[in-house]
Structures are given as C-alpha cells and as structure tokens.
Amino acid sequence: MARPGRLVVCAAGLLAACVVIASAGATAQPQRAGSRVTAVSNPPAAVPHLLTLRVSGGAGSVSVYASPARRLVKGSVLLAKRAAVKGRRVSLRVPSSLPAGTWFIVVCPAGGRSDCAASHHVMLKAPTKLAPAVSARPVTQTAQAASGTIGSSGGTLSAQAANGTRFLLTVPAKSVPDGTQITMTPLTALTNAEWFGTLIGGVQLAPEGLALVHGATLTITPKTRVPAADQVAAGYSGDGSDLHEVPLAPSRIAIVIPLSHFSGAGLGRQPGGASLSKPAGTSMDAYNSQMAGIVQQYRAGNLSESDMQAAIGLVLNAMYNTIISTEVPAGAKSLDAAESAISDLLYYSYVAALYGVDDNALAKVTPTIAKLLDAMYRLIMSTEVPPGLNDDDAAQQAITDLLRYAHDSALLGINTGALAKVLPTIKQLADGIYDRAQTKCADNHDFTQITKILKVDHDEQALGLAAHGFTEDFKCLTFQVDFDSSITITPGGGSKGTFYTEYAAKLTIRFTDLAQDGTPFITGSTTGSFTQAKGSVTDDDLKDTSGVMQGGTGAPFYVDQFTIASQPQNPTLVIVPLDENNETNIAAWPSEDMTWNCFGQPTAHNTTDWWYRGWGSDHSSEMAVFGEHFAFGLELQSQPGAVIAQRTWSISADDPGSGGGWSFTGGSDALCAGSNDTPHHHYDETTTVEVTHTPGS
C-alpha cells in the first residue's frame, strides 16, 4: 500500500489531479530559497497593521518591500527581511515607521532583489503627524517684476529673472474677476529649506492670497537644464511662512507648477529629489507632498500614467474625505474655516482634473461650495459688517470678504446676482471710511487722510457706485494764508532819508485742479494792502528833488500752489505777487502812490522796484526763487492745531545790483528828468507767513 504523499498516477491526463491530491495529503516541505516570485496580490487601499498577501511562485520565504513604484527604486522600504510563505500566503506586521505616502508591494525571494513581483494597486498611509510649519526667506528682484491685468476671460503674464530663468503664468478663464491687477516678481534666493536644495527659479505673486477659482499654472524654463530626478517644487505664503512641497504637473518635459492661490512658488535642485520626510504644517501640505512624490516617480519613468493616476486618485480621495469631515463642518461656524474649505475644495477639483483623475470633480464639490458661500455671507453680515460701520480696518475686511463671496459665486455660476446683492452694504461701509477720513483731516489736521479718501472714491467708481468727485475729495484742503512783510529802504549814494512799507495779504486757498503727477493744486488770490507806505528821500544829485512815499491802497496777491497732500511733513507754499494788470510782476507794488517834488511841483510815478529788490535779495537760505515765483519751505506744527505752518525771517542786506537805482521821467520841467546812478540801497526786512487750516470755509 502506498504511503501518504507517495501516490503515483501514471495516466498523463490525470497528472494535475494527482499533484493536487499528493499536495493535499503531503506534509508541507520547505521550498528552495531563491525560487522566483511570479505574482503578489494587491494590498488594501489603506495601510493595515497586519498585512496578508497571496504569493505565487516557488519561494518558501520572501522579502517584502513597500515601494513608490512597481519595482524596487530609491525610497523603497523593507517591511520584512524573511517572511515564511505558508499555503501561498505570507503575513507580516507593517512597521509604524513606514512614512506616509502611497506604496506598491514588491515581494522578492528572501535575501534577493531579483525574480520579484509587484502589486498592481497601491496602498495609502495617510499623514498622522504634522510638523511645525517651516518659514522660508524669499529675496525678490524688484527690477525684474512684471505686471498686468487679467480678467474673467483668462490670460498670461511673463517675466525673466536676472539669471535668465523665464516664467510664464497662465490663468484660465473664469479663474479671477475682471480687472485683476497681477504682479509677478522673480526671486534671487529662497533659503531655510534643506530638502528644497538650490533655488533654480521662483516668483512672488501678488495680490497675496488671491483665490484662483479654476487654478492657474506657473511654467518655469531654467537657463540650464535640470534633470527631472533633481527637480523639487515648493510653495509658501507671501512672507515666506508655511514653506511646503507641491507637485509638478504631469509632464516629463515641461516644468509646470499648479497654483490654487497667489503666494510664492519656486523650483529647487536637490540631487535625487526631495527626501520622503519633509515638514508638513497642515494635512493639505502632507497630501501635496505625497502627490509630489508620485509625480516625481512618473517623471522619472518609474510609473506609468495609469499607475500615477491611480496613486494620485487615492491621495485625492483621502484629501476630499478630510475636507468634508473636518473643514466643511467648521466652515458653517467660522468665516476663516469657510474660506479655507472653499479654497481646498477648489484645489481638489482642479488637481483631479489636471492629473486626469476626475474631470467632473468640480461638479462634485460645487453644491458643498454653494452651502459654504451661503454660510460665508451670513457670517460676514453678522460678524464683520457691524464693527465695520465704525472701524476702518473692520470695514475694509468686510468689503474684501463680500467681494470674494460675490466673485466666487459668479465665477462658479452659483449666484450671478451676488455682486448686486452685496453692493449696497459695500457702499455703506466705504462711505463710512470716507466720512471718517474727512473728519480726521478736518478735526486733526491729518492730511495723510487724503490718500485714503482718494482710494475710497476710486474703488467706489470701479464698482460702478456713485462717486464723490475731486471737489468733495479735497474739501478738507482749505487754508487761510496770512502774509505780512515790512521793509525799510535806505537809498545809497548822495540820497538821504528812508522809505518804509508794510504789505499785508489775507486770502483763502483751496483745491482747484490736479497736476499731471496727481498732486492737487491748492490756490487762491486776493488784493493785498500797503497798510503803511511812507517816507521821504532827498537826492543831492538831482538838485532840489525829493521823493515822498504816501499811503498805498493795495496790489493783487496770488498763491499759485500750496503743496501739502503729497508731502504732509514738508509743505511748500508758492507765492506769485501780481501787478495791477494781474501779470506776474512784483516790481511795481506801491504803484502810483509815489510822488516826487521837483521845485515844489508834485509828479506821480509808477516805476519803483525797491520792495521787489529788498524781498528778493539775499534770500537764498530762506526761499527758492523761480523767476518771479517764490517758494517758501514751511514746517508743520509738531502738535495738531489750526495754525499748521508758520515762517518768519528778518534780513538786513545791501542790494547787490548795479546801475539804475531808480528813475523817473515825469513832470513838465526838464530839470527834473534824470536818474540816481548810485545803487546799493540798504534793506531791513521782516516777513511772516502763517498758514491756518480752515476746512469748510
């Protein structure tokens, strides 16, 4: 009788059945080490604590690996060095040290790395521990910055770094609102990340935080070639905070970084690529890092496109579940959480379509986003608008969030009437900012508020709201100028005596127009008065001739420009005295109030330039003289007050001119005709200019 396990079947056709019978009744025998592994079953979608696999081949013991590809590559992790195969099954505990990521299972004969088999599917180890966020230190090349306007129809913007690296930003349609001003500034350095390596090229994108409803891409073309295996992409917030790895687009040639919002993005060179362990401050950062590793394997040729899509699909599914289970519920109660959940859902849908995982992902998330937008609107109206009615910062935040709610609703086709819905509230908030700025300008004499006033008016016009207009914008810029000047003139040569004049002008100046550079013209005019004009001079050279100055009645006085809004700490007052014909000529002020006695016959004259010469001589340290314009540098009072600026100077000087002195031709007696050829008159002057802020006058 044959012993168990020794049954021999002679019929060739029954050989297979005989083997099965023999195997079933036989004691298991160790299989030869080095036998091939021909197949291995797929692991579960999530990494288990205990992993059980079906293994085909003749190996009695095997080595089991977790690999980022369907073969052993750099980054593979040994799970079991020698695991026994029993009944074509092998079981092992997965070490907790296995990094988060997507893993194929590769099984080889024990101790070998050939004759191996790999699973067709991957398993995912979700991130369980988040590290403190890392901050980078970006250094920008301002001179290389590029700016442009992109709207709802999409567009592109290009820039080039000083080292020749080129950047192309591509924004698809319906990703940003119309009229969006975008600036792209290349970087010279991005430090404080060992895993990132050496910066190849990067950019800072503004406005910071701009949400891209349908994403965007940044294409980087380095000056010199960088091997795909060494390329590492990273993103960070505007100030360099939250530095994290991001995946590249699925191209084995072009270097393209997908973007979900504006911040900073760059490409680094790290031999062999980024390490598997990188700081991840948030779950989204961790999922991005996992996808970056998958794309890196694909671009290196270690994964097929379908394997890449399957692995990324597993990560995206975990990302979606995290957003739905943790972020969305929080978004119903918190505005920040709602904005974060909306941003992450949009990113999920964008990446799912970009990598060919799910072209309908946007339709999948839109109903949830609609609910979050409704919650966002309610939260803005209940928590941000009330304080915004009395506080500028709160008002600006509420306006920003209301506009984002409206734009996102419109771009996603959720509520095309959202903008009209929020505009009345925005107008109320903006007018509050405007009115508070006008009050501060008027009451506190704070002229820096003009910048805020102009911005509010500009923004309201851009939204199609009723504008205030420049006249109202600058109504705070109304001033009173008091000008008082006294000069004593002592003629030189053979003349004896003095002339004394006092000139005073008081006028209101206010906004009249804008200069080409945007500086407001603040001007005004009035008629000044010679409050005193007296004295007499006897000229021995002109025989029995003497000049007598009598009281004058006035002369025009004009302030050409008072510049204060653009230089609030160093205002400049430009004064232009005019003659009786309103022409710029300050050489005839006492005008016909001067008479000469020629043998007792009074004769009127209208040519005297003494006041002009006295005022204009030796003033280089006090004022800038531009032809017949005089620019006074004034200093604001250190404490707010109605008198915002004042300047007083006293000068005692000789007229440095030569020839002329004064002349006259009037009178019927030719003996009186002549001139004083001895100049160098002496002037003693005291002048005061005082500017008072008089808003509303």
Side-chain angles (χ1 to χ4, degrees), residues 434 438 453-454 457-458 461 467-476 511-514 518 520:
Y434 186 94
Q438 288 283 13
I453 290 168
L454 291 174
D457 201 12
H458 174 271
Q461 291 182 60
H468 297 271
F470 286 138
T471 299
E472 185 177 358
D473 291 344
F474 292 111
K475 70 180 182 180
C476 177
F511 167 77
T512 55
D513 202 353
L514 284 178

Side-chain angles (χ1 to χ4, degrees), residues 577-650:
L578 304 176
D579 63 16
E580 63 271 17
N581 297 318
N582 282 336
E583 296 177 352
T584 305
N585 180 1
I586 58 176
W589 275 9
S591 190
E592 298 184 6
D593 297 295
M594 173 67 72
T595 60
W596 287 92
N597 288 321
C598 182
F599 294 103
Q601 299 297 319
T603 304
H605 296 276
N606 61 3
T607 54
T608 173
D609 59 1
W610 299 324
W611 206 87
Y612 162 68
R613 287 188 176 276
W615 203 42
S617 64
D618 196 28
H619 280 64
S620 59
S621 62
E622 303 294 334
M623 68 179 78
V625 180
F626 304 99
E628 290 159 334
H629 291 58
F630 295 87
F632 296 85
L634 300 169
E635 295 179 2
L636 290 180
Q637 300 283 9
S638 58
Q639 298 296 326
V643 178
I644 62 162
Q646 190 177 58
R647 190 72 180 274
T648 300
W649 61 82
S650 297

Side-chain angles (χ1 to χ4, degrees), residues 71-83:
R71 58 190 176 88
L72 295 180
V73 295
K74 179 182 178 181
S76 297
V77 178
L78 179 64
L79 301 180
K81 185 175 182 180
R82 186 176 293 274

Side-chain angles (χ1 to χ4, degrees), residues 29-275:
Q29 300 293 322
Q31 299 188 31
R32 293 181 297 108
S35 298
R36 296 182 62 186
V37 177
T38 57
V40 61
S41 62
N42 290 317
V47 173
H49 295 295
L50 181 64
L51 177 63
T52 299
L53 302 164
R54 293 192 307 274
V55 178
S56 299
S61 61
V62 293
S63 296
V64 182
Y65 297 86
S67 175
R70 292 178 63 182
R71 58 190 176 88
L72 295 180
V73 295
K74 179 182 178 181
S76 297
V77 178
L78 179 64
L79 301 180
K81 185 175 182 180
R82 186 176 293 274
V85 179
K86 297 179 180 180
R88 295 187 180 180
R89 292 180 181 274
V90 60
S91 296
L92 64 145
R93 292 192 177 278
V94 178
S96 59
S97 59
L98 179 67
T102 55
W103 302 100
F104 288 91
I105 295 298
V106 178
V107 179
C108 304
R113 294 178 65 88
S114 60
D115 295 325
C116 307
S119 63
H120 291 279
H121 297 165
V122 293
M123 61 180 182
L124 171 69
K125 182 174 181 181
T128 56
K129 294 182 180 180
L130 299 177
V134 173
S135 293
R137 289 190 292 272
V139 181
T140 57
Q141 301 177 11
T142 307
Q144 304 299 119
S147 298
T149 302
I150 296 179
S152 58
S153 60
T156 61
L157 182 67
S158 60
Q160 182 169 314
N163 66 1
T165 300
R166 290 178 284 119
F167 306 93
L168 176 65
L169 175 69
T170 303
V171 181
K174 296 184 178 181
S175 202
V176 298
D178 287 330
T180 301
Q181 296 289 328
I182 293 174
T183 300
M184 180 164 58
T185 307
L187 305 179
T188 58
L190 183 63
T191 61
N192 203 34
E194 294 182 2
W195 57 265
F196 181 70
T198 303
L199 177 69
I200 298 301
V203 295
Q204 187 89 33
L205 294 165
E208 169 67 21
L210 175 67
L212 302 167
V213 175
H214 294 282
T217 57
L218 176 68
T219 302
I220 302 178
T221 306
K223 181 74 172 180
T224 57
R225 179 180 174 274
V226 180
D230 296 347
Q231 296 171 11
V232 182
Y236 62 90
S237 298
D239 58 357
S241 61
D242 188 27
L243 179 70
H244 58 279
E245 188 178 17
V246 296
L248 290 168
S251 170
R252 287 176 171 160
I253 300 176
I255 303 173
V256 181
I257 301 176
L259 305 172
S260 63
H261 64 279
F262 273 7
S263 52
L267 178 74
R269 179 171 187 168
Q270 180 71 277
S275 63

